[in-house]
Amino acid sequence: MAAAASSTFPAPCHHLPQLHQNHTKSLSSLFKPKSRTTNFSIRPLSISPKASLSDPFVLQIAETLEDSNSSSSLKQSPILQKLRESSSESILSLSWPTRKDEPFRFTDTSFIKNSQISSISPDPESTLIDFESDGDDDTQTPNIVIVDGQIVSSLSKLDELPDNVYVGSVLGIDSDEIREKVMKFVSNFEDKDLFWSLNGIGAPDVTIVFVPSDCFVEKPLLFRFYSHETSEIGSSNLPMSNPRVLVLVEKGGEVGIVEEYLGGAEDKCYWVNSVMEVLIGEGGKVSHTYVQQQAPSAAHFKWTSVRQESSSTYKLVEVSSGGKLSRHNLQIQQVGPDTITELSTFHICVRDQTQDLHSKLILDHPRGVAEQRHKCIAAHPRSQVVFDGNIKVNRLAQQTDAAQLSRTLLLEDSATVNMMPNLQIIANDVSCSHGATVCDVDDDQLFYLLTRGIDLATARKSLIFAFGTEVMSRLPCDSLQKKVERHIQRLLDPTPS
């Protein structure tokens, strides 16, 4: 089907109500009265019949986020207005998830529910702080520093991008063409949940990556996310930030994206609720790396939504180790034939923490390729691993090649592993396979190293570390790979002899 003349991308499958300049629906217009506050505790509300069906706790968080953005002195844009309006409307039908809800059956969110959520007031001047740099950092790589959801220009380096590539704040777009395309696709994801909508209300900005047709961005774009506003461990206050990134790659374009979420001080508490939307045009290629190293007492929720046109390629490499509660919702839709999707993820739990990956890959067209490999290490008695991976091969996706494999090292008998690999096949001319294992270190491999004169403790440590190297070796550059490997080694052996 031919693309619309005004854009490389076809029209999105879901359209939101058209916004008008003189008519803005916010949460305050959907239910009254409204008490303005930043830190809050649950209090009775007098609300309209429509809002009375909603969860008071959810509405209080949404109001707090809305208050923070409305009091900000930052210039607003129609794009942010559209995002916040659609998110505000959807929030009214959503409630806080419990263990009774199927998607959260194995994920306990009471850590957040029992906290007093506070918003973060964007203040670019307060974010001009000195972040430590790693010795392995590639100083030639374009990098974007985002603190509490906002780009800090003084710490970012974007002077080597090709012509017509735009990377920056949605407020800084000076091209009408790019602005129209961003406006068209922002917040058009249909399967949004509570955390997606909360991000849409609370995001102080949207970072835009626009790659025009047939443009190759040679070096990957490095995004570093920091949390500056935090609280002390033991405090009931939990500051919440909402970073958001939208990536538009037009026909034949190619770019690499690296996301690093860095925690800083280990004695701090905060909640990062992040969203990334990726739209890849026909024949486009996106290589996506996601490294999560949040503080041990932090909460980290992330949504990644990917839409692939025909003959496009999306490859994800993920290494997640931080946070007390970490959840990644990953949804990918192949909306054209001859499309390639590769997902490689590695999670590790070395303390009382939860690492949760919920993925959904939908194939609707012929000759699609989908490969998912998920690895996890549960190395603490109170660690919890959740993997819910769903690959759906619909009736028209004939001649599909799909494979899914999940493997977990269970190093402590009292650790919890919940694995739900799911390969749904409706098409009849396909090549598909899937498998899952949960086990300790392989005895045969251990015996082989022992016969080579390696002592038991060293052999076991070597095999545990090697378990994750299949994924870590796929990281896009040597400097990042070495940095991540050192971090994993420190987690597995914090007091080396």
Side-chain angles (χ1 to χ4, degrees):
M1 182 174 66
S6 61
S7 172
T8 300
F9 295 101
C13 56
H14 176 62
H15 295 276
L16 295 168
Q18 180 67 33
L19 293 179
H20 299 281
Q21 184 174 4
N22 297 323
H23 179 64
T24 302
K25 287 184 180 179
S26 65
L27 283 170
S28 58
S29 68
L30 294 171
F31 56 91
K32 296 181 180 181
K34 172 179 173 183
S35 176
R36 293 187 175 273
T37 183
T38 299
N39 275 335
F40 68 88
S41 58
I42 296 299
R43 61 188 187 277
L45 292 174
S46 298
I47 53 183
S48 68
K50 184 176 181 180
S52 66
L53 301 176
S54 304
D55 185 332
F57 180 70
V58 170
L59 294 181
Q60 298 252 8
I61 298 177
E63 282 191 296
T64 302
L65 296 175
E66 186 190 47
D67 286 349
S68 174
N69 282 327
S70 63
S71 63
S72 171
S73 60
L74 287 176
K75 173 186 174 185
Q76 300 300 310
S77 77
I79 296 172
L80 285 175
Q81 186 181 9
K82 174 186 176 182
L83 174 62
R84 290 169 184 165
E85 178 170 310
S86 63
S87 299
S88 296
E89 291 180 353
S90 65
I91 208 78
L92 294 176
S93 61
L94 300 171
S95 60
W96 189 264
T98 69
R99 301 291 283 270
K100 295 181 180 179
D101 300 308
E102 182 62 26
F104 287 83
R105 183 156 58 107
F106 302 112
T107 307
D108 184 4
T109 60
S110 60
F111 159 55
I112 300 175
K113 180 72 180 287
N114 295 331
S115 302
Q116 289 185 327
I117 311 302
S118 63
S119 62
I120 295 175
S121 299
D123 183 2
E125 295 302 323
S126 69
T127 60
L128 299 180
I129 55 180
D130 184 23
F131 295 108
E132 293 186 1
S133 175
D134 192 286
D136 287 328
D137 289 343
D138 184 355
T139 57
Q140 302 302 315
T141 298
N143 66 83
I144 305 93
V145 174
I146 299 178
V147 180
D148 294 335
Q150 276 198 284
I151 296 177
V152 182
S153 300
S154 62
L155 300 177
S156 303
K157 180 179 179 295
L158 293 170
D159 53 359
E160 295 185 5
L161 295 175
D163 293 339
N164 300 322
V165 171
Y166 178 80
V167 179
S169 167
V170 69
L171 302 173
I173 300 176
D174 55 10
S175 165
D176 290 339
E177 179 186 3
I178 297 177
R179 190 180 298 108
E180 288 175 4
K181 292 176 180 179
V182 171
M183 185 72 170
K184 181 178 179 181
F185 289 103
V186 71
S187 195
N188 276 307
F189 180 55
E190 291 184 338
D191 295 333
K192 60 187 72 172
D193 71 348
L194 170 65
F195 302 99
W196 177 284
S197 297
L198 287 176
N199 176 280
I201 296 171
D205 196 0
V206 179
T207 302
I208 305 298
V209 177
F210 175 77
V211 179
S213 298
D214 299 319
C215 178
F216 171 62
V217 182
E218 181 179 359
K219 295 181 179 179
L221 306 177
L222 173 58
F223 289 79
R224 285 197 176 97
F225 297 84
Y226 296 92
S227 294
H228 178 50
E229 191 167 327
T230 60
S231 64
E232 300 293 332
I233 291 180
S235 169
S236 61
N237 179 44
L238 189 66
M240 177 187 183
S241 63
N242 294 276
R244 194 177 189 102
V245 179
L246 174 62
V247 180
L248 297 176
V249 179
E250 293 197 310
K251 181 178 180 179
E254 185 171 348
V255 69
I257 304 288
V258 178
E259 293 183 279
E260 278 192 284
Y261 288 84
L262 305 172
E266 294 194 356
D267 60 344
K268 300 298 182 182
C269 294
Y270 53 90
W271 176 15
V272 176
N273 182 45
S274 177
V275 167
M276 173 173 278
E277 298 173 87
V278 182
L279 296 104
I280 312 174
E282 179 183 352
K285 295 182 180 180
V286 172
S287 174
H288 182 195
T289 302
Y290 165 49
V291 178
Q292 191 272 107
Q293 298 177 1
Q294 299 284 17
S297 296
H300 183 85
F301 278 65
K302 176 173 170 57
W303 254 105
T304 302
S305 169
V306 182
R307 176 185 171 93
Q308 294 182 249
E309 303 296 337
S310 61
S311 303
S312 65
T313 300
Y314 173 76
K315 296 183 179 181
L316 170 69
V317 179
E318 172 182 342
V319 180
S320 180
S321 60
K324 179 178 178 65
L325 171 59
S326 175
R327 179 182 174 104
H328 187 192
N329 293 310
L330 172 63
Q331 182 152 326
I332 303 166
Q333 186 167 10
Q334 295 185 356
V335 295
D338 304 301
T339 307
I340 299 173
T341 306
E342 294 183 10
L343 310 175
S344 303
T345 54
F346 173 46
H347 290 187
I348 181 170
C349 295
V350 297
R351 51 184 172 267
D352 181 4
Q353 64 181 137
T354 298
Q355 291 282 353
D356 180 353
L357 173 63
H358 272 63
S359 65
K360 181 186 290 186
L361 174 55
I362 303 171
L363 296 88
D364 284 316
H365 296 269
R367 299 179 301 279
V369 176
E371 181 179 352
Q372 181 176 30
R373 62 181 63 82
H374 174 68
K375 288 194 166 187
C376 191
I377 297 176
H380 188 276
R382 298 185 66 183
S383 61
Q384 182 171 357
V385 175
V386 181
F387 171 65
D388 188 329
N390 190 314
I391 299 179
K392 187 173 183 180
V393 184
N394 287 323
R395 188 175 305 279
L396 297 179
Q398 303 294 340
Q399 300 178 12
T400 286
D401 186 355
Q404 182 187 63
L405 177 62
S406 177
R407 297 180 59 199
T408 297
L409 272 186
L410 183 63
L411 304 181
E412 294 287 345
D413 292 339
S414 57
T416 303
V417 177
N418 294 288
M419 304 184 69
M420 292 154 286
N422 189 351
L423 182 57
Q424 303 177 52
I425 306 172
I426 302 175
N428 55 20
D429 180 13
V430 297
S431 174
C432 296
S433 64
H434 75 141
T437 61
V438 180
C439 60
D440 201 338
V441 173
D442 185 86
D443 289 336
D444 291 339
Q445 294 178 350
L446 194 60
F447 177 75
Y448 176 83
L449 294 181
L450 293 176
T451 61
R452 295 302 186 269
I454 301 174
D455 65 271
L456 178 61
T458 301
R460 186 172 175 84
K461 288 180 182 178
S462 299
L463 290 174
I464 292 172
F465 176 77
F467 180 79
T469 56
E470 179 184 5
V471 175
M472 291 187 287
S473 64
R474 296 172 182 267
L475 292 168
C477 54
D478 291 340
S479 59
L480 180 62
Q481 182 177 334
K482 291 177 182 178
K483 183 166 62 172
V484 171
E485 287 180 349
R486 283 202 304 268
H487 176 73
I488 298 301
Q489 285 178 326
R490 287 195 296 267
L491 291 177
L492 291 172
D493 189 14
T495 55
S497 58

